[in-house]
Amino acid sequence: MTTSPNMPGYKLPVNPEKNQGKLSQGFVTPKQDRIPQVHCVPARRVLPIIFIPGIMGSNLRVSADRQARLELENNIAWRPDNSSVTIGQYNDKPHERQLRLDPDVTEVDSYDPKNNPTGDLNESSDRRNKNIIYGGGYRGWGQSDGPLLKPDPPGVKNRRTQNQKARERGWGEIFYGSYENILTICESKLNSAFTGGVMDLYLKKNIEGVSPLKWNAHPEPSMAALDEITMREAVKGCWFPVHAMGYNWLRGNAESGVVLAGRITDLINKYVSDGFECEKVILITHSMGGLVARGIVHPEIGKIADKVLGVVHGVMPAMGAGAAYKRMRCGVEGSYTGVASEITAGVLGDNAADVTAVLANSQGAMELLPSQFYGSHWLELKRDGAIVKSWPEKCPYEEIYKVRGKWFSLLREQWINPAGAKDGGFLRASKLLDEARKFHEKIDGTYHMQSYAHYGADINRKAWHKVVWEVGGGGELRDPESLKTISDNRKGSLQVMEPRFEKGDRLTSPYRLNMLDAAEPGDQTVPLHSADAQLRSGKFKGIFRQVGYEHQASYSDPVVLASTIYVLFKIISTMKWPKP
């Protein structure tokens, strides 16, 4: 019996999920065959890595009743990897988008080959998840050692392939085309860091001995390069299975935090019941997933900070983003932000009416709006470059989001409920905004004690910190707030008119209002101003302010991947395992 993956001889098949791989079965050979039979006992310790995606990064399905009402062939509500379905959703009317992306009838489209919840008798769960293919591989490991993404050995009942195991880990719950790189590199490099005592070549060239400054680390707090001894000790005798956990991003992030906290607890218990030593997990997040993670560790929401060793926050809108307001007034921008945003613009909507029909009914989306901690006067009206008026003075919820009938209001009431849903409309949207405000207040300042962050600080990837309307035409502006909308092209261009003045005055010609392009550094979605709240908090172990990538594609950027692997080694090295 050995724990070495390189011991010469016949390696016996092992099922690591039974008795922690301590049992195996040998075979009879001719007397002259002196080659030993080797039973490799998997490492006893398991430290799962949990990836939590951003908004629109989790795949959703609708209920059977809603599928029938929409006359859909399957129950896909949102699955950007499935182009055959996605393309057909581009031309959906606002009421169809509202019905399909309804938080009350949607859930995460999880992998379940037994019950096959695809809404299509001709589509198996494996077929729906056919794009989930693990091609990362491992160095030095046999067919079935430990909790790796390896096919079950021959003879195992209900034998599974490595791709099926990846799907069981939730890899099919998320936008795989956007997140494959981070899942694969974590799975392969953490579990094959050293083979035969030799460090993996990628780690040797890109991580070991490299100053974090290479990845645009902020000097405060300072971070030192990793040495080989630290890296070797960090991963010694431990597995790092990578899981993904989707969530219903249409619902509130506090609710998602509670749900995922429960799933994480169940996962830990599952590894323990399989005979492994498993106490904590590490969270890697993208965008809104960071807000969910803050809910997971919050003492009044998820309540499992003690089960989380550390958190890596990627491109998190820590205080919200001006882009959320912009998109509900102008639609989702497309072409210049990459393929993922093209999909989002096509399916969610490239105009305000389409987007409002979905996001005005989604508490999760509301929680991406600039919060009360974002600052004042971020919504501006300018004329000839000079500020005429700006909002809010104190509270964006009361001064912008819940204001009715103003040209600058977040919500155009006729766009909120095109499907005529019961209890829908402005009052329901206002209640969701109230809940979003409560969530913002609750998580303010809440970060795990061992948190790291990376985000865009790129002046060439401009984002909306300030959202600016430029006014032209008309006469002298007497009262900017009283302007009445007479036309709206739903893409950021309005015609407005001043109301009738006091007796003796006359109406002027219409004013033209146009929303200006983003102008501040960021990642084309999250402005540096919001992301830097993490730096200003003083609660992070390390911060990377980076350039060169777009928001949704951040985890495909080599610098982001390298800095994330570096941070994972830093976090793993702090794990205090009980003495045997």
Side-chain angles (χ1 to χ4, degrees):
M1 184 178 292
T2 180
T3 58
S4 170
N6 298 307
M7 186 77 176
Y10 296 119
K11 295 192 70 175
L12 301 179
V14 174
N15 185 348
E17 295 182 2
K18 300 298 181 183
N19 297 299
Q20 197 224 325
K22 294 178 181 178
L23 299 180
S24 187
Q25 183 175 343
F27 53 91
V28 177
T29 61
K31 184 179 295 185
Q32 60 269 30
D33 186 349
R34 299 295 184 179
I35 299 176
Q37 297 177 31
V38 181
H39 175 195
C40 290
V41 178
R44 183 164 56 92
R45 295 166 174 168
V46 174
L47 181 55
I49 310 297
I50 312 294
F51 183 80
I52 305 175
I55 187 172
M56 296 175 285
S58 301
N59 298 324
L60 303 179
R61 62 187 177 221
V62 296
S63 66
D65 288 344
R66 187 56 54 87
Q67 178 186 349
R69 178 177 176 181
L70 292 172
E71 300 181 343
L72 301 175
E73 294 181 358
N74 53 52
N75 60 13
I76 292 175
W78 176 262
R79 198 174 187 96
D81 284 314
N82 191 325
S83 59
S84 62
V85 172
T86 300
I87 292 172
Q89 296 171 342
Y90 277 32
N91 295 320
D92 280 359
K93 301 294 189 294
H95 75 277
E96 294 173 313
R97 298 172 195 266
Q98 180 187 352
L99 291 172
R100 181 167 43 79
L101 294 169
D102 180 347
D104 293 331
V105 300
T106 49
E107 64 181 7
V108 174
D109 192 10
S110 57
Y111 173 73
D112 184 358
K114 181 179 179 180
N115 296 306
N116 193 36
T118 64
D120 180 357
L121 294 177
N122 297 315
E123 182 183 28
S124 67
S125 199
D126 273 305
R127 183 177 178 184
R128 175 165 291 186
N129 288 271
K130 65 183 179 181
N131 65 308
I132 311 303
I133 300 173
Y134 176 62
Y138 306 94
R139 294 194 318 133
W141 293 110
Q143 187 176 31
S144 58
D145 297 279
L148 298 178
L149 295 178
K150 287 286 188 177
D152 287 331
V156 173
K157 187 178 180 180
N158 299 319
R159 188 184 185 203
R160 298 161 300 165
T161 68
Q162 65 179 14
N163 296 329
Q164 288 174 318
K165 290 184 177 182
R167 295 161 192 168
E168 289 175 350
R169 288 199 195 164
W171 288 24
E173 294 181 10
I174 65 174
F175 187 179
Y176 194 62
S178 194
Y179 299 128
E180 177 182 3
N181 288 330
I182 185 62
L183 298 177
T184 299
I185 196 170
C186 289
E187 177 69 28
S188 62
K189 301 309 176 186
L190 294 179
N191 291 302
S192 298
F194 294 89
T195 303
V198 179
M199 182 184 288
D200 174 84
L201 183 60
Y202 171 86
L203 299 178
K204 189 70 176 176
K205 291 178 60 177
N206 297 284
I207 309 298
E208 190 261 332
V210 177
S211 169
L213 296 175
K214 181 178 179 180
W215 308 307
N216 304 116
H218 193 274
E220 296 294 336
S222 62
M223 293 178 282
L226 287 167
D227 60 81
E228 182 173 332
I229 293 176
T230 298
M231 296 175 70
R232 188 183 299 274
E233 289 299 313
V235 300
K236 184 178 180 181
C238 187
W239 302 107
F240 307 93
V242 177
H243 294 256
M245 291 190 179
Y247 57 93
N248 191 339
W249 42 270
L250 295 166
R251 303 183 72 86
N253 288 307
E255 178 180 332
S256 296
V258 171
V259 171
L260 293 198
R263 290 184 65 183
I264 289 168
T265 300
D266 290 344
L267 179 66
I268 291 174
N269 292 338
K270 174 64 167 58
Y271 278 114
V272 171
S273 69
D274 287 340
F276 292 97
E277 184 177 341
C278 183
E279 299 181 356
K280 296 178 182 290
V281 302
I282 297 173
L283 306 181
I284 303 177
T285 77
H286 180 252
S287 191
M288 190 168 87
L291 304 183
V292 176
R294 290 165 70 182
I296 289 171
V297 303
H298 195 284
E300 298 176 11
I301 304 176
K303 306 177 184 178
I304 62 164
D306 61 322
K307 292 182 173 66
V308 177
L309 182 61
V311 182
V312 182
H313 286 295
V315 296
M316 178 171 60
M319 302 183 301
Y325 171 92
K326 179 268 173 190
R327 289 167 182 172
M328 290 184 71
R329 291 302 310 268
C330 307
V332 178
E333 61 281 2
S335 59
Y336 77 95
T337 55
V339 175
S341 290
E342 287 280 13
I343 294 171
T344 302
V347 180
L348 194 61
D350 63 357
N351 65 81
D354 285 353
V355 173
T356 297
V358 176
L359 300 192
N361 296 289
S362 164
Q363 184 179 325
M366 300 288 199
E367 289 168 359
L368 293 181
L369 289 162
S371 73
Q372 61 271 47
F373 307 105
Y374 192 85
S376 302
H377 305 289
W378 54 264
L379 181 61
E380 297 179 343
L381 176 65
K382 286 186 174 182
R383 186 164 196 170
D384 298 326
I387 297 175
V388 176
K389 179 73 176 178
S390 61
W391 303 264
E393 291 288 339
K394 294 181 180 179
C395 178
Y397 307 93
E398 303 299 331
E399 299 176 48
I400 301 173
Y401 308 151
K402 294 169 62 180
V403 172
R404 304 184 76 162
K406 300 289 187 181
W407 66 266
F408 59 87
S409 302
L410 174 70
L411 303 171
R412 292 289 297 275
E413 296 191 35
Q414 64 269 38
W415 296 341
I416 298 174
N417 189 22
K422 184 179 179 181
D423 300 324
F426 185 84
L427 293 181
R428 181 175 185 271
S430 294
K431 291 179 181 178
L432 295 178
L433 284 164
D434 289 339
E435 292 302 313
R437 179 178 182 176
K438 292 176 184 177
F439 176 72
H440 288 153
E441 291 171 348
K442 182 160 284 189
I443 68 165
D444 179 45
T446 297
Y447 297 102
H448 189 272
M449 63 182 296
Q450 188 159 221
S451 291
Y452 292 80
H454 58 262
Y455 49 83
D458 195 338
I459 191 59
N460 294 315
R461 301 276 183 174
K462 293 179 173 62
W464 284 274
H465 165 201
K466 301 291 182 82
V467 180
V468 181
W469 292 94
E470 180 75 21
V471 61
E476 178 185 357
L477 272 173
R478 301 191 180 190
D479 184 2
E481 288 205 22
S482 71
L483 296 172
K484 301 296 182 182
T485 303
I486 58 177
S487 69
D488 185 339
N489 76 345
R490 304 180 302 166
K491 294 189 175 185
S493 182
L494 311 178
Q495 278 197 324
V496 295
M497 181 77 79
E498 288 191 281
R500 292 186 178 276
F501 300 145
E502 296 179 3
K503 187 176 181 179
D505 289 331
R506 60 184 179 83
L507 290 173
T508 63
S509 59
Y511 299 93
R512 298 184 306 276
L513 297 179
N514 291 292
M515 186 175 288
L516 301 186
D517 292 337
E520 289 85 22
D523 63 10
Q524 297 174 225
T525 297
V526 175
L528 180 61
H529 165 74
S530 179
D532 259 349
Q534 297 163 95
L535 178 63
R536 295 190 294 269
S537 74
K539 296 183 177 182
F540 280 67
K541 297 292 186 180
I543 298 282
F544 297 89
R545 301 166 87 246
Q546 298 168 329
V547 298
Y549 55 78
E550 177 268 335
H551 182 79
Q552 185 61 40
S554 62
Y555 276 115
S556 295
D557 184 81
V559 171
V560 171
L561 295 175
S563 59
T564 300
I565 294 296
Y566 163 85
V567 165
L568 289 174
F569 271 96
K570 294 280 285 186
I571 295 174
I572 293 166
S573 69
T574 67
M575 182 64 191
K576 304 298 182 185
W577 293 100
K579 293 183 179 180

